[in-house]
Each structure stands twice: as C-alpha cells, then as structure tokens.
Amino acid sequence: EPEMRASLRRLEDDILRAGEVITHLLSLARASRTELEDLAQPVDLTELASATLADFSQVAHASGRTLALDAPGPFVVSGHPALLAMALRNLVDNGLRHSGAGGCVEVQVRPQLSWIQVCDGVDGRPPVPEATAIEHVGLGLGHRVVRKTAEIHGATFEEVEPAPDGFLTCY
C-alpha cells in the first residue's frame, strides 16, 4: 500500500510536469504566430497584476509565502491581454516556486518608467535553504514565453542585477 501510494504520487507529479511543459510549448508557439497589431487592445497592467496575484493567493498562503503589489496607479498599454497575462503568471509562479517559506513575491508597476517587474525574496531575512522551496522541475520554458511576449510588445525581459534590497531575484 505505501509503495503504491508513493508510485501514484510520482506518476501524478510527472503528469503535472508534462502538462506544464505542453502548456509552455503551446504558449510559445502561439506567441510566435501572434500578430500584435491585429489583436492589440488597451490593457491596464496594474489591474492585470492585481488579478494575477489574486489567482495565486491560495497557493501563496498555503505555502507560507506572501504576495504584494506596489503600483501607484493605472498603467495602460496597448497589447495582447492573454499573452501579457500568461507572461505575468509565469513570473509570479516562478517567484513562488523559488522563494523559500516566509518569502514574498512582489509585482512592481512603474508607469512613469514604463516597466513592470516581479521580484521574489525573503523580506530581508537570510535566504531559506533550497529544500524549503516549492518542489518544481522546469525546463526554462516559462522565461522563453515571457521573453517572446516582451519582444512581441516591443519590450525587453531581463533579470535586474543586483536585485533591489529585500529581494533575491527580480525580472
């Protein structure tokens, strides 16, 4: 019985990972074919960030992490809402997976600087050992999707180095 449960758990994890890989590959293929000019519409990145963080709130709470939004007001851009949402979801999900228990993922929106970034860290505390991060094996496809989405929108995707105080990574 215990061996069967462990095998079923591993199988479930493998299936979820395979589904995630397929989702990323499909997203990347769609982003490659997208004609932004035909599909562009006004998108408020502050509203998008707020909705994305709300979607992840239960996952964050259950794993002992916090979510934050630092946005002085609306930031409306012309773009493809589904691609922008997917890119932001990838970054928030990545931040949650790689921050340790007690960590924070913060989306920062700066209309005056024309950027949005996602930072993760541990609220000024020393980094938590990797063993406490949410288990995840990825192929780096999420960042490819984000990079392609940024390119389609005439933007760039990069890691901010060094990360701002209180954060380990920031994109």
Side-chain angles (χ1 to χ4, degrees), residues 7-21:
S7 293
L8 287 174
R9 179 67 185 151
R10 279 192 306 276
L11 181 60
E12 181 182 347
D13 290 344
D14 290 344
I15 290 169
L16 290 173
R17 264 193 298 280
E20 189 174 313
V21 168

Side-chain angles (χ1 to χ4, degrees), residues 115-133:
W115 59 251
I116 181 171
Q117 63 184 15
V118 177
C119 301
D120 65 80
V122 290
D123 294 334
R125 293 176 285 214
V128 180
E130 189 61 31
T132 63

Side-chain angles (χ1 to χ4, degrees), residues 132-165:
T132 63
I134 297 172
E135 186 179 327
H136 175 71
V137 177
L139 300 175
L141 294 174
H143 280 184
R144 284 184 169 171
V145 169
V146 174
R147 182 169 282 109
K148 185 65 178 181
T149 300
E151 288 172 10
I152 288 170
H153 288 84
T156 59
F157 170 68
E158 58 193 33
E159 184 172 0
V160 177
E161 294 186 315
D165 287 342

Side-chain angles (χ1 to χ4, degrees), residues 1 5 20-21 24 28 31 34-35 43 55 71-72 77 84 97 100 102 129 133 136 150 153 155 159:
E1 184 70 21
R5 277 194 215 136
E20 189 174 313
V21 168
H24 284 302
L28 190 57
T34 300
E35 294 293 332
V43 179
D55 289 345
V77 298
L84 292 169
R97 290 179 188 275
H136 175 71
H153 288 84
E159 184 172 0

Side-chain angles (χ1 to χ4, degrees), residues 24-63:
H24 284 302
L25 289 172
L26 287 171
S27 298
L28 190 57
R30 285 184 192 118
S32 297
R33 293 192 318 262
T34 300
E35 294 293 332
L36 183 62
E37 299 80 30
D38 297 337
L39 303 172
Q41 56 187 283
V43 179
D44 184 342
L45 294 179
T46 299
E47 284 182 16
L48 182 65
S50 180
T52 301
L53 293 175
D55 289 345
F56 280 98
S57 62
Q58 287 185 330
V59 171
H61 178 72
S63 64

Side-chain angles (χ1 to χ4, degrees), residues 10 17 40 53 58 70 78 107 125 137 167-170:
R10 279 192 306 276
R17 264 193 298 280
L53 293 175
Q58 287 185 330
D70 179 3
S78 178
V107 179
R125 293 176 285 214
V137 177
F167 296 103
L168 299 175
T169 59
C170 193

